[in-house]
Each structure stands twice: as structure tokens, then as C-alpha cells.
Amino acid sequence: MNTTLLVFRRELAAYFSTPIAAVFLVVFLAGVAGMTFFVANFFDRGQADLSAFFLWHPWLFLVLMPAIGMRLWAEERRSGTIELIMTLPVSPWSLVVGKWLAAWVFAGLALVLTMPLWVTVNYLGSPDNGVILMSYVGSWLLAGAYLAIATCMSALTKNQILAFIGAVVVNFLFVMAGFDLVLAAVRPWAPNVIIEAIASLSFIGHFQRIAEGVLEIPALIFFISLIFFALWLNVRILEVRKAA
Amino acid sequence: MALVETRALVKRFGAFTAVDGISFAVNRGEVVGFLGPNGAGKSTTMKLIAGFLEPTSGSAAIGGHDSQTDAIAARRQLGYLPEGAPLYPDMTVSDFLEFVAAMRGMTGAKARDRLAELVERIELAEVWDRRIEALSKGFKRRVGIAQALVHDPDVLILDEPTDGLDPNQKHEVRELIHSIAANKAIIISTHILEEVEAVCTRAIIIARGKMLSDSTPEELMSRTAATDAQGKPRSGSVRLEEVFRDITHPKKLETAGA
């Protein structure tokens, strides 16, 4: 079997070999339900759509995705197993991609478990299911981007808490890139091109365009290339740490 | 051609030099014991040969393949037990060894036959379906050794293979090393001098990152008296210990370095 798939299978099994998976799924579903029903007032809106549900994903994922990704490398560094896996005759790419893929599929499973909501809106009214499907795709890609950054941070340290905090901070910057909080810091001195470039990195902007239901090719490309870049950086971090 | 070769291997961590110009070669049939005080650079040297760390300068090769520039080919020929025998605690012994075999490209009947052979040889049958975290230290170490032997490699690097084992288990591991030594190049690190006498054909003494001695255990022993003050014959490990202390004594090192 392909070594990437072997790593993927091992890592996915590792999530389920401890109560962590169950705890995470419960927290995720409770968080999603809480946001949708109590913060976004799903029922009071009187609309048969799921925008109240997807609206909060960038914020919920901001904390939850680093929690899934933090262990991927930090745990191996702590226990020393990194030495085992890095001296197997395989490319670091298969390790990096396999690990990320396991976390991403796990996040996808968490999303699948929210589908009763989808069934509910179809029962209550007639939503645009195409929009909802695209929103799910966008949400999963967003999760993938958060996770790719979290995996990267995890490769920097043997401390899972540090990996978690680092991932939340970097992800937060990407979320806020389109907001004044970040833009105000560069506006006084940077030319317009740079300000626009930074604003265009915003996770929320891209996610919302996908969640509106338009098949936003640039937004899809944005997430896919960001994931690819973060995974490449992850491989580089592993190589650089060998020389450190 | 030597199966393992290091050329002027140097590894610095910041201002600290962990490995300082180590060169040696190991041929098929040799069992080399790395001896030295804690922090001497034994494990770092092994990590450099395995390619887990990149040398600051110099190079290491396995079967003629550079550990860095031709890493995958080098690692195919290497079985490596890292320091402390790290394993995935959440996996069962069978899942773990099957994972390692598959990662090394062994599948189907070939993997099954080899694992069955190892289970018998390393006596893992009774823990085969147990999770690694639930194993005793001795079994964990044996799983670590099994993991290094899965693909029957030409080169074995074992960092303290008998650390934490009881005397019977130590004996078994030494027997195992002995039985496979003829057609492999093996490097083990140890603090236990009787181990050197028991399994090694060659002993390399390292302290402060430098190679201080490279000879057979017999040659080492011949540097000290075969009898004690009362004229009684002394055992090999007692004699080795004396030579070891003599070579690696801090005071002696300072004068050597000056």
C-alpha cells in the first residue's frame, strides 16, 4: 500500500484509540448547535437555510482545528517516535500529507455528523440544497486550511500546548486579515497593493463567498494553494530541524 | 566495501560540539560496541548515521549510500533502535509491526512469514495482540528490536538495546545479536562493559564527542593487569572497566584536550 495511506490509516486510528475523538465530537456538535440555535437564532430567522449554522464555522474551527492538529508532530517529538518514523525509507511528504489527511478526514466526519440539521431545514421548508452542499465543501476546505497550519505549528515543538497556541494565533491572523484589526496595522505605511494582498488572505472572505453558494473558483484555489503551501512548509520544517 | 562508514563526522548544537570529527568503518560480520560516559556523543553519532540528524560537517553512509543525500536508499538497508526504544503506545504489537513492515514495502505473505519468524525468535507471541502501552519494559524493548529487524537489514544500529532489561532478558538479547551477527554490520551502544566482552568484536570508546580508542575487547583488556594485587585472575569486564575509567577519566581528558 502507498505509504501516505499507511500513515493516514495509522493516524486516523490513533484519534479513535483514545477518548479524545469522542470528546472532540461532542464538543464540536455542542458548539455548533449552541452557536446556531442560541447565538444566531436559527428558529427566529424564519428562513429555511443553514447560513446561521455556517456563519460561525470560521470562529469555532479557530479553536477546534488546532485541537485536532496539535498532536500530529508534537506527540512524536515528545515520545521520540519521530526518530522511528523519520528513519523509515519514505519521503517526508508521505508523512506530512498522511498526517494532515487523517486530521482532515476526522474533521470531515465531524461535519457529516451535523447533517441532521440539513435534514431538519428540508423538513421545515425548501432550502437551496446546492448552496448548502457548497457551504459544506467550503467549510471542509476551511477546516483543511486551519489544520494544515496547525500541523505546521505542531512540527515546531514537542509541546502540544505551544503547538495549539501557535496554531490559534496564526489562524486568527488569517481570519482577521480582512478586518481593520490587522489592516490598520499596515495601512499607515504600506502601499495599496500590499494592503489588498493582505486583505485577500482573509479566511472569512473566501469562506463566505463559497458559502453564498456561488461556485467561487478563486476561493477554492485560495484554500487549496494555502493548504499545499502549509504542507510544503511542514516538510521544510522537518528538514531544517534535522540540521538544527 | 564497508557497510557503515563515517568520515570526519561533526555535529554542533549551538556552541556545544556533540560529535567532533569521528571517522570509522564497519564491515559485514563486525559487532561494534560504542562505549562512553553519558553525554559522550554516542547517541548523536548514531542519529547522524541513521540520517535523523544532519551533520554540521563530514558525512555518514550506509551500504555506500550517503545518509543525507541518498537517504531513502541508505534507510532501506538500516534497522534502527533509537534511544529509549520509542514506540506508539496506542497500537497493538501486531498492528505496529505490520505498520513498520508495510512502510518498508513488505506486503502479503512475505510480511506475514517474516513477522511470524520474528515473533518466534524474539518471543512476542504472548503479547502479540496487546497494546504497547500495557507492556513491561522488557517486552517494549523487544518490540523495538523486532521493529529494527523486520526487513532483515544489512546494517543494525541499536542504541542501548539491553537498557532496563533484567539479566535473563539481557542474555537473550545478546544471544539474538550474536546469532544474526555473521552477515550484518551491527553497532550497539552500551554502558555495560560485560556486554562488550560478550557480543562485540570491536569496541570504540567515545568521550566528549571524540573517538579515544578503537580496538578489539581483547586488546583493550591487555592494557591492564590480568591479575589483581593478590595475584588472583580478574574477569574480563573488571579489566575492561579499569581501562574504560583510565581512558575516559575527566582529568585525563582535560590534559588530552590541552
Side-chain angles (χ1 to χ4, degrees):
Chain A
M1 208 199 307
N2 182 310
T3 50
T4 307
L5 286 178
L6 285 166
V7 174
F8 161 75
R9 218 175 50 175
R10 199 208 81 74
E11 291 292 338
L12 194 62
Y15 279 115
F16 289 97
S17 70
T18 60
I20 288 175
V23 170
F24 175 85
L25 291 174
V26 168
V27 169
F28 173 76
L29 293 175
V32 165
M35 292 292 195
T36 309
F37 292 109
F38 299 110
V39 184
N41 293 319
F42 176 72
F43 286 124
D44 296 345
R45 290 160 45 92
Q47 286 175 16
D49 65 21
L50 283 181
S51 56
F53 163 69
F54 288 112
L55 180 67
W56 296 102
H57 283 197
W59 301 104
L60 204 61
F61 287 1
L62 181 61
V63 180
L64 290 179
M65 293 305 137
I68 299 183
M70 65 183 187
R71 56 164 282 276
L72 287 170
W73 287 106
E75 196 175 52
E76 303 240 18
R77 279 200 195 285
R78 172 76 69 195
S79 68
T81 46
I82 189 167
E83 219 172 309
L84 214 68
I85 199 158
M86 293 280 290
T87 52
L88 289 172
V90 299
S91 148
W93 273 101
S94 33
L95 307 177
V96 167
V97 174
K99 277 172 179 283
W100 169 80
L101 202 60
W104 196 39
V105 166
F106 183 66
L109 178 76
L111 277 176
V112 167
L113 291 178
T114 65
M115 289 204 173
L117 265 177
W118 194 356
V119 175
T120 306
V121 285
N122 271 289
Y123 174 75
L124 293 174
S126 41
D128 186 337
N129 283 315
V131 170
I132 294 178
L133 182 66
M134 272 316 289
S135 302
Y136 267 112
V137 170
S139 177
W140 195 35
L141 275 175
L142 176 73
Y146 278 137
L147 283 171
I149 290 170
T151 325
C152 224
M153 292 293 134
S154 180
L156 285 170
T157 173
K158 60 180 166 197
N159 185 325
Q160 291 197 39
I161 306 292
L162 277 181
F164 174 81
I165 294 171
V168 171
V169 168
V170 174
N171 283 335
F172 182 70
L173 288 177
F174 271 103
V175 170
M176 295 307 287
F179 291 79
D180 264 349
L181 182 79
V182 169
L183 293 181
V186 274
R187 197 168 283 137
W189 53 270
N192 254 330
V193 192
I194 295 196
I195 296 172
E196 274 169 31
I198 292 175
S200 73
L201 290 176
S202 170
F203 277 9
I204 289 208
H206 289 283
F207 174 63
Q208 270 165 359
R209 276 194 290 283
I210 297 177
E212 278 158 15
V214 248
L215 188 65
E216 261 287 330
I217 302 292
L220 295 180
I221 291 176
F222 168 78
F223 281 121
I224 292 166
S225 37
L226 190 118
I227 289 167
F228 184 81
F229 175 74
L231 296 180
W232 172 82
L233 198 63
N234 196 332
V235 171
R236 289 295 305 144
I237 289 171
L238 292 176
E239 282 166 356
V240 167
R241 293 277 316 239
K242 281 206 301 192
Chain B
M1 184 189 60
L3 276 178
V4 179
E5 194 169 4
T6 74
R7 287 181 218 94
L9 214 49
V10 174
K11 181 65 182 176
R12 290 194 194 91
F13 298 104
F16 173 69
T17 305
V19 173
D20 195 357
I22 286 187
S23 304
F24 64 90
V26 186
N27 293 306
R28 201 178 288 275
E30 282 191 296
V31 181
V32 173
F34 267 13
L35 295 171
N38 283 330
K42 304 188 293 285
S43 290
T44 309
T45 306
M46 290 179 146
K47 285 173 206 211
L48 289 166
I49 300 171
F52 178 68
L53 291 176
E54 201 176 307
T56 310
S57 67
S59 67
I62 293 168
H65 303 284
D66 189 283
S67 301
Q68 289 300 325
T69 58
D70 194 7
I72 296 202
R75 289 172 196 167
R76 278 206 189 99
Q77 285 181 271
L78 169 72
Y80 178 44
L81 174 72
E83 194 176 7
L87 303 164
Y88 293 112
D90 51 284
M91 294 179 98
T92 65
V93 174
S94 57
D95 283 347
F96 174 67
L97 292 178
E98 280 160 12
F99 170 71
V100 173
M103 287 291 277
R104 290 192 171 278
M106 297 167 68
T107 48
K110 194 184 165 204
R112 261 201 314 280
D113 292 350
R114 177 63 184 162
L115 289 179
E117 189 189 332
L118 279 176
V119 167
E120 195 171 332
R121 194 155 195 180
I122 308 183
E123 290 169 45
L124 289 171
E126 62 176 291
V127 296
W128 189 239
D129 289 316
R130 246 190 264 165
R131 275 160 76 111
I132 288 170
E133 64 191 347
L135 301 186
S136 69
K137 210 170 173 183
F139 271 120
K140 280 184 187 158
R141 189 71 41 155
R142 279 196 250 175
V143 173
I145 293 171
Q147 161 279 129
L149 286 171
V150 158
H151 52 305
D152 197 15
D154 280 339
V155 175
L156 260 186
I157 296 182
L158 307 173
D159 201 343
E160 302 197 344
T162 61
D163 184 45
L165 301 186
D166 68 36
N168 288 333
Q169 294 166 332
K170 278 189 176 127
H171 179 73
E172 282 160 23
V173 169
R174 283 175 205 157
E175 292 281 290
L176 177 74
I177 294 173
H178 215 74
S179 68
I180 57 177
N183 55 359
K184 294 188 194 309
I186 303 179
I187 302 177
I188 65 169
S189 72
T190 181
H191 299 294
I192 308 159
L193 293 155
E194 59 178 89
E195 202 153 290
V196 177
E197 201 197 350
V199 295
C200 298
T201 59
R202 212 169 125 195
I204 291 180
I205 297 181
I206 299 178
R208 296 191 183 179
K210 287 198 169 68
M211 237 168 88
L212 299 180
S213 147
D214 179 0
S215 54
T216 65
E218 292 74 29
E219 281 166 8
L220 270 185
M221 278 187 275
S222 69
R223 294 195 203 173
T224 185
T227 53
D228 63 14
Q230 279 83 42
K232 285 188 198 136
R234 303 189 307 171
S235 78
S237 54
V238 169
R239 289 166 68 190
L240 274 176
E241 209 174 302
E242 189 171 309
V243 181
F244 177 78
R245 264 202 306 270
D246 192 43
I247 293 176
T248 62
H249 194 277
K251 266 186 195 149
K252 190 130 185 177
L253 285 178
E254 266 154 38
T255 48

